[in-house]
Amino acid sequence: WFSGFLDYEFSPENQFSISYDKMNSKNYITDGIEDRIKLKIENQFKLFSGSMLLQSSISLSGFFNRHNDYALHPVEKYPVRIKMESITNDKWLADFFISCRVKSLQIKYEMKNLSNVLFDYLSDDQKDYSIQFNPYYPQMRRLASLSIYWKFLD
């Protein structure tokens, strides 16, 4: 593996980061992604006289030079040789995150694979931004989650 990471702070509230990972392995126990790049913008603000912390980020992840010669069989647990062109295409995925915290209560909303969320919302079902690493498992389409964390102080 070769990895690089760069973090730049525009201001105390705004940050930009970029990371790059390079894998050069012919071993069958890999995900088959040779190059990964991730661009991320993060924000952090205090509102209401500093009593609420608002955090957000948007990121763009790229998976390049994908090759998938082997997959791990989910039942027998041994490598199986496969050839599928559909799972070797380069992909870009966008993610979004927002969180607000007041004292011991945090509310967080995340959307993974934002492209699929937007195209489904716009009723454009002709485009599919799913990603698949292994043909034995379903495609990763999207994920939207709402989390509420409340730490009781007693």
Side-chain angles (χ1 to χ4, degrees), residues 24 36 40 44 47-48 58 60 91 107 109 132:
N24 189 8
R36 302 166 198 253
K40 187 175 188 179
Q44 178 175 312
L47 303 173
F48 305 114
I58 190 159
L60 192 62
K91 292 285 186 175
I107 299 174
Y109 186 69
Q132 187 173 20

Side-chain angles (χ1 to χ4, degrees), residues 65-101:
N65 300 323
R66 297 175 63 203
H67 56 85
N68 204 345
D69 295 330
Y70 291 94
L72 195 61
H73 195 278
V75 177
E76 277 85 24
K77 307 289 189 233
Y78 65 88
V80 178
R81 189 165 180 78
I82 59 167
K83 283 290 185 185
M84 291 183 63
E85 291 296 320
S86 64
I87 64 174
T88 59
N89 298 335
D90 295 343
K91 292 285 186 175
W92 282 99
L93 301 176
D95 300 329
F96 174 73
F97 160 83
I98 190 164
S99 168
C100 68
R101 178 186 297 268

Side-chain angles (χ1 to χ4, degrees), residues 127-140:
K127 296 185 181 182
D128 186 21
Y129 284 91
S130 301
I131 188 167
Q132 187 173 20
F133 295 107
N134 187 328
Y136 292 106
Y137 295 99
Q139 292 183 348
M140 292 178 11

Side-chain angles (χ1 to χ4, degrees), residues 4-105:
F5 182 78
L6 177 66
D7 193 11
Y8 180 73
E9 190 172 288
F10 293 115
S11 67
E13 295 89 19
N14 300 312
Q15 293 182 11
F16 172 76
S17 61
I18 183 170
S19 64
Y20 175 76
D21 297 318
K22 174 77 172 171
M23 179 193 67
N24 189 8
S25 174
K26 301 302 178 206
N27 194 341
Y28 56 80
I29 308 291
T30 66
D31 56 8
I33 302 171
E34 283 190 26
D35 299 299
R36 302 166 198 253
I37 190 166
K38 185 171 188 174
L39 308 167
K40 187 175 188 179
I41 297 175
E42 297 177 281
N43 300 313
Q44 178 175 312
F45 301 102
K46 291 196 174 194
L47 303 173
F48 305 114
S49 301
S51 61
M52 177 188 279
L53 177 64
L54 183 68
Q55 297 172 307
S56 67
S57 72
I58 190 159
S59 62
L60 192 62
S61 302
F63 303 100
F64 306 106
N65 300 323
R66 297 175 63 203
H67 56 85
N68 204 345
D69 295 330
Y70 291 94
L72 195 61
H73 195 278
V75 177
E76 277 85 24
K77 307 289 189 233
Y78 65 88
V80 178
R81 189 165 180 78
I82 59 167
K83 283 290 185 185
M84 291 183 63
E85 291 296 320
S86 64
I87 64 174
T88 59
N89 298 335
D90 295 343
K91 292 285 186 175
W92 282 99
L93 301 176
D95 300 329
F96 174 73
F97 160 83
I98 190 164
S99 168
C100 68
R101 178 186 297 268
V102 177
K103 294 197 182 215
S104 64
L105 175 69

